[in-house]
Structures are given as structure tokens and as C-alpha cells.
Amino acid sequence: MHPRLSISAVSSWQWSLDDDLRFWSSAGIDHVGLSFRKLEEAGVERAVAAIADAGLRVSNIVELGWWKLADRARWSRQQDRLLQAVDIARVFGACLVLTTGPAGTLDWDAAADALQEAVDPVRDAARAAGVVVTIEPTGPLRLDLSFVTTFRDGIDLARRTDLAVCMEVNSCFAERDLAGSIVSGADVLAHVQVSDFVIGSLCTPDRAVPGDGDIPLGRILADVLATGYRGAFELEMVGPRIEAEGYEGAIRRSMAYLDQMLGDLEPAGRA
């Protein structure tokens, strides 16, 4: 398994953390992304101890919830949740991957201003703990999760809020001048999520095993590596194709494909 490759707990969406731990051990997976939802379901203190006991490297924590940016009365609950996640991320040297939440009645710039205010105490606590906080742009069909729907806008928002950005390849692979955006955003790019997509699908999420779809992953990952990016490439896939195949088979095939690709692109990075 290439040391830059990380396997997200989201890729086994319906499994519990205990299920994930058993599979990761049997599959030789030692670099993972955590789901905060699964940590809560397992009991955070017990979950953190189990992950530490397994000797796992942790690239990031996702499924952190989101703000209702137009409803300030609900901000404090999300802030408290994220502050707990900062403490966990500090233990493992992981980053946090956030979605902004919907804009509601706010226009884009007003939503960005609201996010900046809402995230301030989290960013300050994360900085003090040495934890990087990233914003993940989503696809335009997921405005329930985020008002940021392009990688380019994610870069702008990261700079505006003094955060970093997560590049979710499935959401941005068809954007104009993606290679240029990768270069221009290299200073704030802190995490990359990888999966595939079969053009023609009309549902979301409907991610595919890398190599099964139409995303030019080799070209995109090469562009990212050319900037000097040193973070993880995280397999994060969810949807009916993955459910139909089964998590174990889909993850094992993905690992083999991405291990080979990353080894070809960055042979010196292999441990």
C-alpha cells in the first residue's frame, strides 16, 4: 500500500467502526480517514483508544456536520462539535475536512462572511493545536451540504477564511482549467479525495471504483504531485455501485489500482 494512500471510513458507509477496524487489519490497511459520525456511534473515547491501539495513521476526519449559516442560533452546537474533533485530530496528526453547510437565504458572499465568523473559534483552536482545517467544495447537486461548488471557489474561500482546501476529485474533475486551479491553489491545498465517476449517471452520490469510470485520475494526480503537494490521497467513495459490489471487494480493487498509479507517478514516495 503506497504510503500516501489513505482509505476513508466513508468508503464502508454502513459498517461500524469495529467493522472497519477488523477489515483494515485483515486487508493490511494502516493509513485511514475517520468518520466523526462513526466515532460518536462507537463512543468517542473508546474509539480513539481502539484506533491508537491498532497503530493506524490517520490522514483526516470527515462527516463533521455543517452549519445552518442563516441561523446563528444553531452555530454554537456545531462549533462545540468541531472543537471536539480538533482534540481528536491533534492526537493523530490529522486534518479536518469540513463542508460549509447551505447558504439558505444568504447570497454567496454573505454566506462566506457568515462562515468566516462561525469558524473563527474553531480555526483559532485548531491553529493552537497544530491541526489543519480544510473546506471541501461539493458538487452542485449537494447544496444541502455546501454553497461552495467549484474547486476554484473553494480556494478563494479558504484564503478568505484563513483555512485550507480539500480537493474532492469527483466534484471538480470537469472544471475548466483544473490544472491551473491546482497550481494557483497549491499553497492552501491540504487534502485530496479520490474516486471515479461514470458519465451519464443522474444520481448523487454515485462514485465508482477508480479505473471503472471516466475521470482522468492519472492526469489529475500528476498535476497535484507536480505542485509539491505532500498530503494524502484518500479513497473516499460512496453510492449504489459500491453498495452493489460490497465494501471489501470495492476497496480492495481501489487499493490495487491507486497503489499502482501512485507508485508509477511517485516511485520515490513508496516506503
Side-chain angles (χ1 to χ4, degrees), residues 37-69:
R37 166 181 60 88
K38 292 188 182 186
L39 300 183
E40 289 179 316
E41 290 170 354
V44 170
E45 185 174 343
R46 182 182 79 84
V48 169
I51 293 159
D53 287 346
L56 295 167
R57 293 185 295 140
V58 178
S59 61
N60 73 108
I61 305 174
V62 296
E63 286 202 277
L64 293 161
W66 53 86
W67 282 279
K68 296 284 188 178
L69 291 170

mmCIF file of all heavy atoms in Angstrom, residues 37-69:
data_model
loop_
_atom_site.group_PDB
_atom_site.id
_atom_site.type_symbol
_atom_site.label_atom_id
_atom_site.label_comp_id
_atom_site.label_asym_id
_atom_site.label_seq_id
_atom_site.Cartn_x
_atom_site.Cartn_y
_atom_site.Cartn_z
ATOM 1 N N ARG A 37 -18.903 10.687 12.599
ATOM 2 C CA ARG A 37 -20.181 10.021 12.891
ATOM 3 C C ARG A 37 -19.930 8.639 13.505
ATOM 4 O O ARG A 37 -20.554 8.263 14.504
ATOM 5 C CB ARG A 37 -20.999 9.893 11.605
ATOM 6 C CG ARG A 37 -22.180 8.933 11.689
ATOM 7 C CD ARG A 37 -22.923 8.837 10.382
ATOM 8 N NE ARG A 37 -22.112 8.356 9.277
ATOM 9 C CZ ARG A 37 -21.948 7.062 8.972
ATOM 10 N NH1 ARG A 37 -22.514 6.119 9.705
ATOM 11 N NH2 ARG A 37 -21.215 6.712 7.922
ATOM 12 N N LYS A 38 -19.023 7.878 12.899
ATOM 13 C CA LYS A 38 -18.745 6.539 13.418
ATOM 14 C C LYS A 38 -18.065 6.594 14.778
ATOM 15 O O LYS A 38 -18.290 5.726 15.640
ATOM 16 C CB LYS A 38 -17.893 5.755 12.427
ATOM 17 C CG LYS A 38 -18.614 5.407 11.129
ATOM 18 C CD LYS A 38 -17.783 4.470 10.267
ATOM 19 C CE LYS A 38 -18.460 4.158 8.952
ATOM 20 N NZ LYS A 38 -17.741 3.135 8.167
ATOM 21 N N LEU A 39 -17.211 7.590 14.989
ATOM 22 C CA LEU A 39 -16.581 7.742 16.303
ATOM 23 C C LEU A 39 -17.636 7.999 17.374
ATOM 24 O O LEU A 39 -17.585 7.415 18.470
ATOM 25 C CB LEU A 39 -15.577 8.890 16.287
ATOM 26 C CG LEU A 39 -14.403 8.799 15.318
ATOM 27 C CD1 LEU A 39 -13.475 10.005 15.508
ATOM 28 C CD2 LEU A 39 -13.629 7.512 15.488
ATOM 29 N N GLU A 40 -18.598 8.856 17.063
ATOM 30 C CA GLU A 40 -19.672 9.148 18.019
ATOM 31 C C GLU A 40 -20.505 7.906 18.296
ATOM 32 O O GLU A 40 -20.873 7.625 19.445
ATOM 33 C CB GLU A 40 -20.552 10.264 17.481
ATOM 34 C CG GLU A 40 -19.882 11.630 17.469
ATOM 35 C CD GLU A 40 -20.781 12.712 16.914
ATOM 36 O OE1 GLU A 40 -21.437 12.470 15.877
ATOM 37 O OE2 GLU A 40 -20.827 13.800 17.517
ATOM 38 N N GLU A 41 -20.820 7.163 17.240
ATOM 39 C CA GLU A 41 -21.641 5.961 17.414
ATOM 40 C C GLU A 41 -20.929 4.913 18.269
ATOM 41 O O GLU A 41 -21.568 4.182 19.031
ATOM 42 C CB GLU A 41 -21.994 5.370 16.048
ATOM 43 C CG GLU A 41 -22.973 6.228 15.245
ATOM 44 C CD GLU A 41 -23.122 5.767 13.802
ATOM 45 O OE1 GLU A 41 -22.371 4.854 13.389
ATOM 46 O OE2 GLU A 41 -23.992 6.318 13.091
ATOM 47 N N ALA A 42 -19.614 4.839 18.148
ATOM 48 C CA ALA A 42 -18.837 3.859 18.914
ATOM 49 C C ALA A 42 -18.509 4.336 20.322
ATOM 50 O O ALA A 42 -18.113 3.530 21.179
ATOM 51 C CB ALA A 42 -17.534 3.541 18.174
ATOM 52 N N GLY A 43 -18.695 5.631 20.562
ATOM 53 C CA GLY A 43 -18.236 6.240 21.806
ATOM 54 C C GLY A 43 -16.855 6.807 21.579
ATOM 55 O O GLY A 43 -15.903 6.048 21.337
ATOM 56 N N VAL A 44 -16.734 8.124 21.608
ATOM 57 C CA VAL A 44 -15.512 8.781 21.147
ATOM 58 C C VAL A 44 -14.276 8.312 21.902
ATOM 59 O O VAL A 44 -13.241 7.979 21.299
ATOM 60 C CB VAL A 44 -15.662 10.315 21.236
ATOM 61 C CG1 VAL A 44 -14.322 10.998 20.989
ATOM 62 C CG2 VAL A 44 -16.695 10.815 20.244
ATOM 63 N N GLU A 45 -14.348 8.247 23.206
ATOM 64 C CA GLU A 45 -13.165 7.868 23.991
ATOM 65 C C GLU A 45 -12.726 6.445 23.656
ATOM 66 O O GLU A 45 -11.538 6.178 23.434
ATOM 67 C CB GLU A 45 -13.475 7.990 25.489
ATOM 68 C CG GLU A 45 -12.273 7.746 26.378
ATOM 69 C CD GLU A 45 -12.553 8.022 27.847
ATOM 70 O OE1 GLU A 45 -13.557 8.693 28.142
ATOM 71 O OE2 GLU A 45 -11.758 7.544 28.686
ATOM 72 N N ARG A 46 -13.678 5.515 23.591
ATOM 73 C CA ARG A 46 -13.329 4.129 23.248
ATOM 74 C C ARG A 46 -12.790 4.038 21.834
ATOM 75 O O ARG A 46 -11.842 3.296 21.552
ATOM 76 C CB ARG A 46 -14.569 3.236 23.389
ATOM 77 C CG ARG A 46 -14.270 1.768 23.100
ATOM 78 C CD ARG A 46 -15.508 0.904 23.197
ATOM 79 N NE ARG A 46 -16.349 1.002 22.015
ATOM 80 C CZ ARG A 46 -16.148 0.297 20.907
ATOM 81 N NH1 ARG A 46 -15.111 -0.538 20.807
ATOM 82 N NH2 ARG A 46 -16.966 0.415 19.888
ATOM 83 N N ALA A 47 -13.406 4.803 20.915
ATOM 84 C CA ALA A 47 -12.982 4.761 19.518
ATOM 85 C C ALA A 47 -11.555 5.258 19.353
ATOM 86 O O ALA A 47 -10.743 4.642 18.645
ATOM 87 C CB ALA A 47 -13.936 5.598 18.671
ATOM 88 N N VAL A 48 -11.228 6.364 19.992
ATOM 89 C CA VAL A 48 -9.876 6.920 19.887
ATOM 90 C C VAL A 48 -8.852 5.926 20.430
ATOM 91 O O VAL A 48 -7.783 5.715 19.840
ATOM 92 C CB VAL A 48 -9.799 8.268 20.622
ATOM 93 C CG1 VAL A 48 -8.352 8.732 20.764
ATOM 94 C CG2 VAL A 48 -10.628 9.323 19.887
ATOM 95 N N ALA A 49 -9.178 5.283 21.540
ATOM 96 C CA ALA A 49 -8.263 4.298 22.116
ATOM 97 C C ALA A 49 -8.065 3.106 21.184
ATOM 98 O O ALA A 49 -6.943 2.614 21.010
ATOM 99 C CB ALA A 49 -8.792 3.829 23.470
ATOM 100 N N ALA A 50 -9.160 2.650 20.559
ATOM 101 C CA ALA A 50 -9.067 1.496 19.660
ATOM 102 C C ALA A 50 -8.222 1.815 18.431
ATOM 103 O O ALA A 50 -7.434 0.980 17.965
ATOM 104 C CB ALA A 50 -10.467 1.055 19.240
ATOM 105 N N ILE A 51 -8.373 3.014 17.893
ATOM 106 C CA ILE A 51 -7.591 3.421 16.712
ATOM 107 C C ILE A 51 -6.114 3.543 17.081
ATOM 108 O O ILE A 51 -5.233 3.099 16.339
ATOM 109 C CB ILE A 51 -8.145 4.743 16.156
ATOM 110 C CG1 ILE A 51 -9.556 4.514 15.595
ATOM 111 C CG2 ILE A 51 -7.229 5.317 15.087
ATOM 112 C CD1 ILE A 51 -10.378 5.766 15.487
ATOM 113 N N ALA A 52 -5.852 4.122 18.239
ATOM 114 C CA ALA A 52 -4.462 4.236 18.689
ATOM 115 C C ALA A 52 -3.851 2.858 18.928
ATOM 116 O O ALA A 52 -2.715 2.596 18.534
ATOM 117 C CB ALA A 52 -4.397 5.077 19.961
ATOM 118 N N ASP A 53 -4.615 1.951 19.546
ATOM 119 C CA ASP A 53 -4.112 0.605 19.827
ATOM 120 C C ASP A 53 -3.806 -0.162 18.535
ATOM 121 O O ASP A 53 -2.900 -1.004 18.497
ATOM 122 C CB ASP A 53 -5.129 -0.182 20.650
ATOM 123 C CG ASP A 53 -5.210 0.296 22.100
ATOM 124 O OD1 ASP A 53 -4.307 1.033 22.533
ATOM 125 O OD2 ASP A 53 -6.193 -0.066 22.777
ATOM 126 N N ALA A 54 -4.576 0.149 17.465
ATOM 127 C CA ALA A 54 -4.357 -0.519 16.180
ATOM 128 C C ALA A 54 -3.135 0.024 15.439
ATOM 129 O O ALA A 54 -2.737 -0.534 14.411
ATOM 130 C CB ALA A 54 -5.605 -0.373 15.305
ATOM 131 N N GLY A 55 -2.559 1.113 15.936
ATOM 132 C CA GLY A 55 -1.363 1.682 15.322
ATOM 133 C C GLY A 55 -1.617 2.320 13.972
ATOM 134 O O GLY A 55 -0.716 2.363 13.125
ATOM 135 N N LEU A 56 -2.817 2.830 13.770
ATOM 136 C CA LEU A 56 -3.190 3.395 12.474
ATOM 137 C C LEU A 56 -2.692 4.825 12.316
ATOM 138 O O LEU A 56 -2.708 5.617 13.261
ATOM 139 C CB LEU A 56 -4.717 3.382 12.325
ATOM 140 C CG LEU A 56 -5.365 2.002 12.272
ATOM 141 C CD1 LEU A 56 -6.869 2.119 12.445
ATOM 142 C CD2 LEU A 56 -5.037 1.306 10.957
ATOM 143 N N ARG A 57 -2.240 5.152 11.114
ATOM 144 C CA ARG A 57 -2.023 6.547 10.750
ATOM 145 C C ARG A 57 -3.362 7.120 10.283
ATOM 146 O O ARG A 57 -4.111 6.446 9.572
ATOM 147 C CB ARG A 57 -0.998 6.670 9.620
ATOM 148 C CG ARG A 57 0.415 6.263 10.002
ATOM 149 C CD ARG A 57 1.369 6.538 8.851
ATOM 150 N NE ARG A 57 1.075 5.723 7.689
ATOM 151 C CZ ARG A 57 1.124 6.160 6.436
ATOM 152 N NH1 ARG A 57 1.410 7.432 6.172
ATOM 153 N NH2 ARG A 57 0.867 5.343 5.425
ATOM 154 N N VAL A 58 -3.641 8.343 10.658
ATOM 155 C CA VAL A 58 -4.920 8.960 10.318
ATOM 156 C C VAL A 58 -4.658 10.213 9.494
ATOM 157 O O VAL A 58 -3.970 11.130 9.941
ATOM 158 C CB VAL A 58 -5.728 9.320 11.578
ATOM 159 C CG1 VAL A 58 -7.045 10.002 11.196
ATOM 160 C CG2 VAL A 58 -5.990 8.069 12.419
ATOM 161 N N SER A 59 -5.204 10.235 8.285
ATOM 162 C CA SER A 59 -4.986 11.388 7.410
ATOM 163 C C SER A 59 -5.946 12.528 7.718
ATOM 164 O O SER A 59 -5.562 13.703 7.636
ATOM 165 C CB SER A 59 -5.144 10.972 5.943
ATOM 166 O OG SER A 59 -6.455 10.474 5.697
ATOM 167 N N ASN A 60 -7.187 12.193 8.066
ATOM 168 C CA ASN A 60 -8.202 13.240 8.221
ATOM 169 C C ASN A 60 -9.421 12.720 8.949
ATOM 170 O O ASN A 60 -9.580 11.503 9.140
ATOM 171 C CB ASN A 60 -8.620 13.771 6.847
ATOM 172 C CG ASN A 60 -9.482 12.777 6.092
ATOM 173 O OD1 ASN A 60 -10.679 12.964 5.939
ATOM 174 N ND2 ASN A 60 -8.886 11.680 5.642
ATOM 175 N N ILE A 61 -10.286 13.636 9.331
ATOM 176 C CA ILE A 61 -11.584 13.313 9.920
ATOM 177 C C ILE A 61 -12.654 14.032 9.112
ATOM 178 O O ILE A 61 -12.553 15.242 8.867
ATOM 179 C CB ILE A 61 -11.672 13.734 11.394
ATOM 180 C CG1 ILE A 61 -10.523 13.109 12.207
ATOM 181 C CG2 ILE A 61 -13.017 13.330 11.990
ATOM 182 C CD1 ILE A 61 -10.458 13.588 13.644
ATOM 183 N N VAL A 62 -13.680 13.286 8.690
ATOM 184 C CA VAL A 62 -14.792 13.843 7.913
ATOM 185 C C VAL A 62 -16.105 13.551 8.622
ATOM 186 O O VAL A 62 -16.125 13.054 9.741
ATOM 187 C CB VAL A 62 -14.824 13.275 6.480
ATOM 188 C CG1 VAL A 62 -13.594 13.680 5.703
ATOM 189 C CG2 VAL A 62 -14.983 11.760 6.504
ATOM 190 N N GLU A 63 -17.207 13.841 7.937
ATOM 191 C CA GLU A 63 -18.564 13.675 8.482
ATOM 192 C C GLU A 63 -18.697 14.444 9.794
ATOM 193 O O GLU A 63 -19.108 13.917 10.822
ATOM 194 C CB GLU A 63 -18.910 12.212 8.659
ATOM 195 C CG GLU A 63 -19.206 11.500 7.349
ATOM 196 C CD GLU A 63 -20.040 10.261 7.552
ATOM 197 O OE1 GLU A 63 -19.463 9.215 7.878
ATOM 198 O OE2 GLU A 63 -21.272 10.351 7.381
ATOM 199 N N LEU A 64 -18.366 15.718 9.707
ATOM 200 C CA LEU A 64 -18.340 16.578 10.892
ATOM 201 C C LEU A 64 -19.598 17.424 11.041
ATOM 202 O O LEU A 64 -19.671 18.249 11.953
ATOM 203 C CB LEU A 64 -17.110 17.491 10.815
ATOM 204 C CG LEU A 64 -15.779 16.764 10.931
ATOM 205 C CD1 LEU A 64 -14.643 17.617 10.397
ATOM 206 C CD2 LEU A 64 -15.515 16.364 12.375
ATOM 207 N N GLY A 65 -20.579 17.209 10.158
ATOM 208 C CA GLY A 65 -21.760 18.059 10.198
ATOM 209 C C GLY A 65 -21.495 19.392 9.534
ATOM 210 O O GLY A 65 -20.435 19.615 8.947
ATOM 211 N N TRP A 66 -22.459 20.303 9.622
ATOM 212 C CA TRP A 66 -22.291 21.596 8.971
ATOM 213 C C TRP A 66 -23.184 22.629 9.628
ATOM 214 O O TRP A 66 -24.088 22.324 10.387
ATOM 215 C CB TRP A 66 -22.606 21.503 7.477
ATOM 216 C CG TRP A 66 -23.947 20.899 7.186
ATOM 217 C CD1 TRP A 66 -25.154 21.526 7.140
ATOM 218 C CD2 TRP A 66 -24.231 19.517 6.928
ATOM 219 N NE1 TRP A 66 -26.164 20.652 6.867
ATOM 220 C CE2 TRP A 66 -25.625 19.404 6.728
ATOM 221 C CE3 TRP A 66 -23.433 18.367 6.837
ATOM 222 C CZ2 TRP A 66 -26.242 18.180 6.448
ATOM 223 C CZ3 TRP A 66 -24.053 17.161 6.564
ATOM 224 C CH2 TRP A 66 -25.437 17.077 6.372
ATOM 225 N N TRP A 67 -22.888 23.876 9.327
ATOM 226 C CA TRP A 67 -23.671 24.981 9.854
ATOM 227 C C TRP A 67 -24.931 25.224 9.039
ATOM 228 O O TRP A 67 -24.951 24.981 7.828
ATOM 229 C CB TRP A 67 -22.846 26.264 9.819
ATOM 230 C CG TRP A 67 -21.842 26.393 10.901
ATOM 231 C CD1 TRP A 67 -22.068 26.794 12.185
ATOM 232 C CD2 TRP A 67 -20.440 26.133 10.805
ATOM 233 N NE1 TRP A 67 -20.890 26.791 12.887
ATOM 234 C CE2 TRP A 67 -19.877 26.395 12.070
ATOM 235 C CE3 TRP A 67 -19.606 25.707 9.768
ATOM 236 C CZ2 TRP A 67 -18.531 26.255 12.335
ATOM 237 C CZ3 TRP A 67 -18.260 25.546 10.033
ATOM 238 C CH2 TRP A 67 -17.734 25.813 11.299
ATOM 239 N N LYS A 68 -25.959 25.714 9.690
ATOM 240 C CA LYS A 68 -27.053 26.400 9.025
ATOM 241 C C LYS A 68 -26.666 27.882 9.084
ATOM 242 O O LYS A 68 -26.922 28.576 10.064
ATOM 243 C CB LYS A 68 -28.385 26.165 9.751
ATOM 244 C CG LYS A 68 -28.834 24.715 9.760
ATOM 245 C CD LYS A 68 -29.392 24.287 8.424
ATOM 246 C CE LYS A 68 -30.013 22.901 8.505
ATOM 247 N NZ LYS A 68 -30.599 22.470 7.223
ATOM 248 N N LEU A 69 -25.998 28.348 8.046
ATOM 249 C CA LEU A 69 -25.339 29.648 8.129
ATOM 250 C C LEU A 69 -26.305 30.811 8.321
ATOM 251 O O LEU A 69 -25.931 31.848 8.864
ATOM 252 C CB LEU A 69 -24.479 29.859 6.881
ATOM 253 C CG LEU A 69 -23.251 28.944 6.816
ATOM 254 C CD1 LEU A 69 -22.592 29.025 5.451
ATOM 255 C CD2 LEU A 69 -22.257 29.284 7.923
#
